[in-house]
Amino acid sequence: MDDLPPFTSTPVDAIPPIHQRVVAKFHAHETRTFAYRLKQLRQLYWGLKDEEPALLEAAKLDLGKSAYETYLTELGWELNDILFMCKNLERFMKDEKAEDTSLMNLAMGPRIRKDPLGAVLIIGAYNFPFMLSLGPLVGAIAAGCTAVLKPSEHAPNAARIMQHIITQSLDPEAYQVVQGGVPETTALLDCKWDKIFYTGGVGVGTIIAKKAAETLTPVALELGGRNPAIVTKSADPRLAARRLLWAKLVNAGQVCVSQNYILVDRAILPAFLQELETALRDFQPKGARQSEDYGKIVNERQWQRLKDMLDSTHGKILFGGSTDKDSLFFEPTVVQVDSADDPLLKDESFGPLIPILPVADLDEAIRTANAVHATPLALYPFGSKADTAKILAQTRSGGASINDAFFHASIPTLAFGGVGDSGSGAYRGRASFECFTHRRSVTTTPRWVEGLLDVRYPPYTAAKLKKVKGMMDTKPDFDRQGRSTGGLVWWFIGLGGKGKTGAGARWVVVVALVAVVARFWRGRDVL
Amino acid sequence: MLLAMIHLAMADLPPFTPTPLEAIPAVHARVVAKFHTHTTRPLAYRLKQLRTLYWALKDAEPALLAACAQDLGKSAYETYLMELGWQLNDILFVCKNLQRWMKEERAPDTSLLNLAMRPRIRKDPLGAVLIIGAYNFPLMLSLGPLVGAIAAGCTAVLKPSESAPHAARVLQHVIEQALDPEGYAVVQGAVAETTALLARKWDKIFYTGGVAVGTIVARKAAETLTPVALELGGRNPAIVTRNADPRLAARRLLWAKLVNAGQVCVSQNYILVDAEILPRFLAELAIALAEFFPDGARHSASYARIINLRQWQRLVALLASTDGTILLGGETDEQTLFIAPTVIQLSSPLDPLLQQETFGPLLPILPVPDLPTAIATANTIHATPLAIYPFGTPAETSLILSSTRSGGASINDAFFHASIPTLPFGGVGDSGTGAYRGRASFDCFSHRRSVTTTPAWVERLLAVRYPPYTAAKLAQVKRTMDARPDFDRAGNVRGGWVWWFVGLGGRGKGAAGVRWVLVAVIAVVVRIMRARM
């Protein structure tokens, strides 16, 4: 890290030329070829691989992240992501045959081309400074876009090393890093992009969405949410406690997809709390403060926000609660709250707070979750199959892990994104490619069909209308009340029976009859 | 008479009446509340709505044909082909496939390690949505998205275009008769009513129309992070290269500007023609025009009128502002809102006819010296149009596609891609966002929710993820997750040892094949020798 220049904001007046440069490069159409994309991805891989020590150090400096966490959720993750993309890119880029095309239209070969969206802007976040910056960038490169990345200024060391790597490994005409905070971001947003990919909070996300809307620029917003975990009385209290506690230890709870609060059925509450305590001792035998695995809060402003939040609760602290401003330490803290209006449930805590709200039953849990936030980023139902299925069917969320905390978000190939105000657009795995790709519907009309197309040209005669109706009309298989009527073919297939069981019974009878007749016939032959 | 009792006539309907502004919040609250009952989610509910909608439309056929004739002078042929028949088929298609689409999908590309958690994609409805229709295809552009919303399990409010008031009246009647009034409602009106609708919080807004209003909708939606699908227009180019078939290009492009009197967002806005082929192309245009309208456009029952006086005046003013030469057509009639299909030869890409979407029966033609000029001109006029129409050889048309962007494209034809009811339709950049039709209509109003289930028995295997983090755990993680690159620092492929064995150390498939052949030959020879001994 010492070899790198200190974190320096990009001069604001240098930003429009940078934008110009990557736009011009896109219009050269060179970034569209498979070979170009692959070359960039491969170089980025080695650029990252060769800087492993510096990357680990940067995450340690910025967030006190252990090498284990940085490798698992950032560096190793991203390296694998690049290899996955390299391996599958050719397949992703291929034209797709359009689905469900009727016989009539097959002659025009309807297909979906995968075109790059253009020059894109990616704004990273501080909590996973590498993954949340490089993940979208890999998608943009794979899709054939050019891009400018603005890493989060709150993880300045990670930002420095990323700038170094990108400058070293990627085509400088097409890929650039802009460093800075609000003024630099504002300058970037003043330029016209073909897509803006932002990871962060709702406040800035809304500013970006409004700015983008002025020029009809599409956005992918990876925001957060007041994600509920629901522990029903049919849940395994030990597993629920271990898994949910773990989610709040990773990156000291600074994970947009971790649960913001836990709704626990009163019947299981004592067992659940006891298991939480056991798990905490398991994971941090010497306590959180002494644990080398446990990160710190990113900066004093965030630390203070969390402290104020904790001070404002009307709930009761059950475990934890100790903090240290100097080292930005914040202990994992379990708080039992008594109302859905508690400040801990009103905001996304984005830290190691674990508020628990006891509920009377599953219906109350679902109602409460929908009232606290109707469209969170994720949802974590714990319980029997029936309970968890009901929870999924009566809620909305970006994603969900059943009987676990954010497992769905730890599968590198599973599309990840929010819904409603927790975000729009998804990425990761193939979705990263799709996120920066336009699916362009294309047909080719051959010369020889002109005779058949005659029907579409004026003058429109009654004969033409009749011909069109004959060609295109399909018949309904239901009546005015919406009941299925079935067609002649189905009558034969089902032997006139109503529904599958009726048809099945008739077929059984027919088969039995045939068997009897056959046996009788053969028997007579022998005689 | 009996038919008249079953089949609805326009005279049976109340006149076009805007919804009172103060009633709008209550309409919104009703469909939101309905969504939160979760009763719109089951297949049976969705199917029932779609099926009753089908019959209501079917039974209103005469009224729907009459409404489009009154609003746009549309012939029954066009209304049936592109609106009513289209929509009826669309509903049947959705009914037939809905169960399949609603099924959870297995997540693609899942590694062995994660299979135990069964990663999958659920299809959840987005919620309560707002659909704002357009006047040019008043039925298809309103009902198409509505069918998608119903299919996805959403509740919805539809605001048809006030510029096609007769179609709006029938739509309101049909929807009120056919659909669950708690889940689906029609709001009638113009700017004031739309503003009142946009002031509510929706889970998605689907808008079809122009860029200006589209931008207003997008900005308003952004305030509450509401996703939008915008079906806008664009200055769509057609490019006729010197190797194109002039007759087919002329017929097909002319046709596109006759449909609905050119009031089609996806029709070409201008044609770039290689100067070499221009005379023949122009001659073919005149022939095609005479063939399509033997008695002239004005007297053709097949030719529609401009929607209203304001649009008619806009088009006439636009035509007056051009510096080009009118080659064909040019006749207009204010009384009947008639504008003849008009071919204009331009001399500059800066001509007013190329600076905006004409949305009418104008065919401006700009001659270009070669293909690169055509591509550069098209990219300059509008970098992200709704569609592009290249005419020429496969090499030329593929060069055009790979050097431009557009929502969709028809090669050697005008908007054929937009006439396939199952093909996703939508823009890119400022020509729109989001696509629909066929399966895409369902997807447009669905949220693809990624879900995993972690079984109890994997807890032991998951131990590696829990602190305390030891060096052994990191090593285990690296071992289980790390993939190896098959390329070196210069980006050249470098196979692994498995491939070395498979390829017998040969570089590439050819060399490996040769080595294998060699090995086989040696084996055969050895065998023969041994047999002789």
Side-chain angles (χ1 to χ4, degrees):
Chain A
M1 286 300 298
D2 295 339
D3 310 338
L4 296 178
F7 180 85
T8 321
S9 294
T10 308
V12 167
D13 51 0
I15 290 175
I18 291 175
H19 167 258
Q20 275 306 315
R21 197 164 157 195
V22 301
V23 167
K25 177 73 182 185
F26 177 74
H27 280 288
H29 313 302
E30 290 157 21
T31 61
R32 294 201 188 199
T33 62
F34 173 59
Y36 178 90
R37 307 183 195 188
L38 203 59
K39 183 154 169 16
Q40 304 303 314
L41 291 171
R42 288 175 168 180
Q43 287 174 175
L44 183 59
Y45 176 88
W46 286 112
L48 285 167
K49 184 90 179 168
D50 293 342
E51 293 295 351
E52 177 166 343
L55 289 159
L56 295 176
E57 191 189 340
K60 185 83 196 169
L61 286 169
D62 288 333
L63 289 143
K65 259 193 216 201
S66 64
Y68 175 91
E69 266 192 24
T70 305
Y71 195 86
L72 180 66
T73 61
E74 299 243 60
L75 178 58
W77 172 292
E78 212 40 63
L79 289 173
N80 278 337
D81 187 35
I82 295 174
L83 292 182
F84 171 82
M85 201 51 101
C86 288
K87 204 171 184 173
N88 294 286
L89 182 55
E90 199 168 14
R91 173 165 66 93
F92 296 160
M93 282 175 68
K94 275 212 183 101
D95 282 4
E96 278 171 36
K97 228 198 273 181
E99 27 179 339
D100 305 315
T101 305
S102 69
L103 210 62
M104 215 157 69
N105 290 319
L106 277 183
M108 322 309 169
R111 59 202 180 273
I112 316 285
R113 247 179 91 94
K114 321 290 180 63
D115 273 7
L117 284 177
V120 304
L121 171 64
I122 296 163
I123 305 177
Y126 68 77
N127 55 334
F128 292 94
F130 302 123
M131 179 177 67
L132 299 180
S133 296
L134 297 173
L137 181 63
V138 165
I141 297 172
C145 292
T146 60
V148 167
L149 168 68
K150 199 208 78 66
S152 171
E153 73 278 19
H154 299 303
N157 294 297
R160 284 164 63 204
I161 184 73
M162 277 194 286
Q163 180 169 23
H164 173 76
I165 291 170
I166 289 169
T167 310
Q168 292 295 309
S169 333
L170 298 181
D171 176 359
E173 296 304 314
Y175 306 100
Q176 286 283 322
V177 172
V178 165
Q179 304 281 19
V182 175
E184 293 77 16
T185 308
T186 309
L188 282 167
L189 292 176
D190 281 337
C191 303
K192 166 67 184 159
W193 302 93
D194 292 307
K195 182 152 195 169
I196 301 175
F197 192 108
Y198 169 78
T199 306
V202 167
V204 178
T206 309
I207 293 172
I208 288 170
K210 282 161 74 174
K211 190 75 191 168
E214 288 174 12
T215 52
L216 293 170
T217 302
V219 289
L221 302 173
E222 300 293 336
L223 311 177
R226 279 148 284 155
N227 310 318
I230 299 179
V231 181
T232 70
K233 66 176 122 186
S234 56
D236 177 328
R238 175 171 169 271
L239 289 186
R242 282 171 71 83
R243 293 172 175 183
L244 286 171
L245 177 63
W246 164 74
K248 278 297 181 186
L249 300 184
V250 171
N251 211 23
Q254 299 164 100
V255 183
C256 55
V257 75
S258 66
Q259 76 278 359
N260 200 52
Y261 63 102
I262 310 175
L263 299 166
V264 184
D265 195 301
R266 275 184 217 289
I268 207 177
L269 183 66
F272 179 71
L273 291 177
Q274 199 173 353
E275 291 291 353
L276 264 183
E277 203 179 353
T278 311
L280 196 55
R281 251 184 286 119
D282 242 21
F283 295 162
Q284 299 182 332
K286 292 180 283 184
R289 200 186 291 250
Q290 258 66 51
S291 167
E292 280 176 19
D293 308 323
Y294 188 64
K296 64 175 174 99
I297 303 306
V298 65
N299 56 33
E300 198 179 313
R301 196 165 66 101
Q302 293 299 326
W303 183 91
Q304 194 59 53
R305 183 186 58 77
L306 277 166
K307 184 83 174 79
D308 293 345
M309 213 171 157
L310 185 58
D311 291 342
S312 70
T313 180
H314 306 301
K316 202 172 85 191
I317 295 181
L318 300 181
F319 316 110
S322 82
T323 57
D324 176 42
K325 195 170 188 164
D326 288 337
S327 58
L328 299 177
F329 168 76
F330 208 108
E331 198 181 8
T333 303
V334 178
V335 188
Q336 184 172 335
V337 299
D338 49 17
S339 149
D341 296 326
D342 194 276
L344 290 186
L345 270 57
K346 285 284 159 206
D347 276 314
E348 188 181 345
S349 68
F350 210 69
L353 299 179
I354 307 177
I356 293 173
L357 178 66
V359 287
D361 55 27
L362 184 52
D363 288 327
E364 189 191 334
I366 292 172
R367 230 177 14 253
T368 309
N370 279 329
V372 168
H373 191 179
T375 54
L377 181 57
L379 185 125
Y380 305 109
F382 289 78
S384 66
K385 244 185 176 162
D387 285 349
T388 56
K390 178 171 173 180
I391 293 171
L392 285 192
Q394 303 199 348
T395 56
R396 287 172 289 173
S397 66
S401 297
I402 296 172
N403 289 330
D404 206 347
F406 66 70
F407 198 95
H408 72 283
S410 71
I411 298 182
T413 48
L414 190 59
F416 178 77
V419 62
D421 59 358
S422 62
S424 73
Y427 73 124
R428 288 188 183 175
R430 184 185 189 128
S432 292
F433 170 83
E434 300 282 349
C435 184
F436 295 97
T437 297
H438 170 60
R439 295 174 65 85
R440 196 181 192 185
S441 297
V442 181
T443 56
T444 303
T445 309
R447 177 191 307 260
W448 60 264
V449 296
E450 190 64 7
L452 301 174
L453 288 180
D454 209 42
V455 69
R456 77 176 178 182
Y457 298 119
Y460 303 134
T461 57
K464 276 187 183 169
L465 178 55
K466 208 174 144 195
K467 191 169 167 195
V468 160
K469 285 194 178 190
M471 268 161 52
M472 72 186 262
D473 274 8
T474 45
K475 293 220 181 302
D477 58 353
F478 49 83
D479 62 15
R480 281 181 175 69
Q481 279 69 48
R483 290 176 305 227
S484 296
T485 51
L488 192 65
V489 174
W490 282 111
W491 190 93
F492 273 107
I493 290 176
L495 297 175
K498 285 217 171 271
K500 283 181 196 164
T501 344
R506 282 166 198 226
W507 270 107
V508 169
V509 171
V510 168
V511 168
L513 273 175
V514 168
V516 169
V517 168
R519 175 165 286 201
F520 185 69
W521 197 260
R522 227 182 291 147
R524 217 179 51 169
D525 242 19
V526 171
L527 285 174
Chain B
M1 269 296 88
L2 187 69
L3 273 182
M5 284 165 66
I6 299 172
H7 294 295
L8 179 75
M10 286 303 291
D12 306 336
L13 296 176
F16 179 85
T17 321
T19 307
L21 288 180
E22 60 277 14
I24 290 175
V27 174
H28 167 259
R30 194 165 85 214
V31 300
V32 168
K34 176 72 184 185
F35 178 75
H36 281 287
T37 64
H38 314 300
T39 48
T40 62
R41 293 202 190 197
L43 173 68
Y45 177 89
R46 308 183 196 188
L47 265 186
K48 170 119 175 57
Q49 305 305 312
L50 291 170
R51 288 171 169 183
T52 45
L53 181 61
Y54 175 89
W55 282 113
L57 283 170
K58 184 96 179 159
D59 293 342
E61 178 167 341
L64 289 163
L65 295 177
C68 287
Q70 289 181 44
D71 286 331
L72 287 143
K74 257 192 218 205
S75 63
Y77 176 91
E78 270 193 20
T79 303
Y80 195 85
L81 181 64
M82 296 172 201
E83 300 245 59
L84 180 57
W86 172 291
Q87 210 43 66
L88 290 172
N89 277 340
D90 185 39
I91 295 175
L92 293 182
F93 173 76
V94 173
C95 286
K96 203 169 185 173
N97 294 285
L98 184 53
Q99 190 166 13
R100 173 165 67 91
W101 298 336
M102 283 175 67
K103 277 214 184 98
E104 286 181 352
E105 279 170 34
R106 230 199 280 172
D109 307 314
T110 305
S111 70
L112 210 62
L113 209 75
N114 290 318
L115 277 182
M117 322 309 169
R118 284 200 305 114
R120 57 204 182 270
I121 314 287
R122 251 179 89 93
K123 322 291 180 63
D124 274 7
L126 283 177
V129 303
L130 171 64
I131 295 162
I132 305 177
Y135 68 77
N136 54 334
F137 293 94
L139 310 180
M140 178 177 69
L141 299 180
S142 292
L143 294 171
L146 181 64
V147 165
I150 296 172
C154 292
T155 59
V157 167
L158 168 68
K159 198 207 80 64
S161 171
E162 75 281 11
S163 302
H166 298 100
R169 285 163 62 204
V170 191
L171 279 176
Q172 179 170 13
H173 175 82
V174 165
I175 287 169
E176 285 173 358
Q177 291 297 306
L179 299 182
D180 175 1
E182 299 300 313
Y184 307 95
V186 171
V187 164
Q188 303 280 21
V191 176
E193 292 75 14
T194 307
T195 308
L197 283 167
L198 291 177
R200 317 315 304 173
K201 166 65 186 162
W202 303 93
D203 291 307
K204 183 152 194 169
I205 302 175
F206 191 108
Y207 170 77
T208 306
V211 167
V213 178
T215 308
I216 294 170
V217 170
R219 290 170 70 165
K220 193 71 195 165
E223 289 174 12
T224 53
L225 292 171
T226 302
V228 290
L230 303 173
E231 301 292 338
L232 312 177
R235 276 149 286 154
N236 310 318
I239 299 179
V240 181
T241 72
R242 68 184 69 176
N243 296 311
D245 179 326
R247 176 173 167 269
L248 289 187
R251 280 171 73 83
R252 293 172 176 182
L253 287 170
L254 177 63
W255 164 73
K257 278 295 179 186
L258 303 182
V259 170
N260 212 25
Q263 299 165 97
V264 183
C265 55
V266 75
S267 66
Q268 77 277 358
N269 201 54
Y270 62 100
I271 310 174
L272 300 168
V273 184
D274 194 303
E276 196 182 301
I277 207 179
L278 182 68
R280 280 191 292 156
F281 179 72
L282 293 176
E284 291 290 353
L285 267 181
I287 294 171
L289 191 58
E291 185 189 323
F292 295 161
F293 296 144
D295 307 318
R298 194 190 296 248
H299 305 291
S300 168
S302 308
Y303 189 62
R305 295 299 180 260
I306 304 304
I307 180 81
N308 57 32
L309 187 61
R310 196 166 64 98
Q311 293 299 327
W312 183 88
Q313 283 167 341
R314 180 185 62 77
L315 280 163
V316 170
L318 195 58
L319 192 54
S321 71
T322 179
D323 302 318
T325 319
I326 295 181
L327 301 179
L328 294 168
E331 306 87 7
T332 61
D333 177 39
E334 184 169 341
Q335 283 304 304
T336 56
L337 300 177
F338 166 79
I339 296 182
T342 302
V343 177
I344 309 114
Q345 184 173 337
L346 308 179
S347 50
S348 152
L350 301 174
D351 195 278
L353 289 183
L354 301 185
Q355 299 308 308
Q356 51 185 297
E357 190 181 344
T358 59
F359 211 69
L362 307 183
L363 290 99
I365 293 172
L366 182 66
V368 286
D370 52 29
L371 186 51
T373 310
I375 291 171
T377 307
N379 279 328
T380 309
I381 288 178
H382 191 181
T384 55
L386 182 57
I388 187 165
Y389 305 110
F391 290 78
T393 64
E396 288 168 335
T397 56
S398 90
L399 177 67
I400 292 171
L401 285 192
S402 59
S403 326
T404 57
R405 287 172 288 174
S406 67
S410 298
I411 296 173
N412 289 332
D413 205 348
F415 68 70
F416 198 96
H417 72 284
S419 71
I420 298 182
T422 49
L423 192 61
F425 178 77
V428 63
D430 59 358
S431 63
T433 170
Y436 73 125
R437 290 189 180 171
R439 184 188 188 127
S441 293
F442 170 82
D443 289 334
C444 184
F445 293 98
S446 290
H447 170 60
R448 295 175 64 85
R449 196 182 192 186
S450 296
V451 180
T452 56
T453 303
T454 309
W457 61 264
V458 297
E459 190 63 6
R460 290 263 299 284
L461 301 175
L462 289 180
V464 68
R465 76 177 179 182
Y466 298 120
Y469 303 135
T470 58
K473 276 186 183 172
L474 179 53
Q476 189 189 341
V477 160
K478 286 195 175 191
R479 212 168 44 241
T480 45
M481 76 184 260
D482 274 9
R484 269 182 216 298
D486 60 350
F487 49 84
D488 60 18
R489 281 176 177 72
N492 297 317
V493 175
R494 177 192 74 182
W497 60 268
V498 173
W499 282 112
W500 192 92
F501 273 107
V502 170
L504 297 176
R507 285 200 171 265
K509 283 178 194 163
V514 169
R515 282 169 198 224
W516 270 108
V517 168
L518 214 66
V519 168
V521 168
I522 291 172
V524 169
V525 168
V526 167
R527 222 190 138 119
I528 292 171
M529 300 282 285
R530 284 188 57 182
R532 287 206 181 152
M533 286 179 350

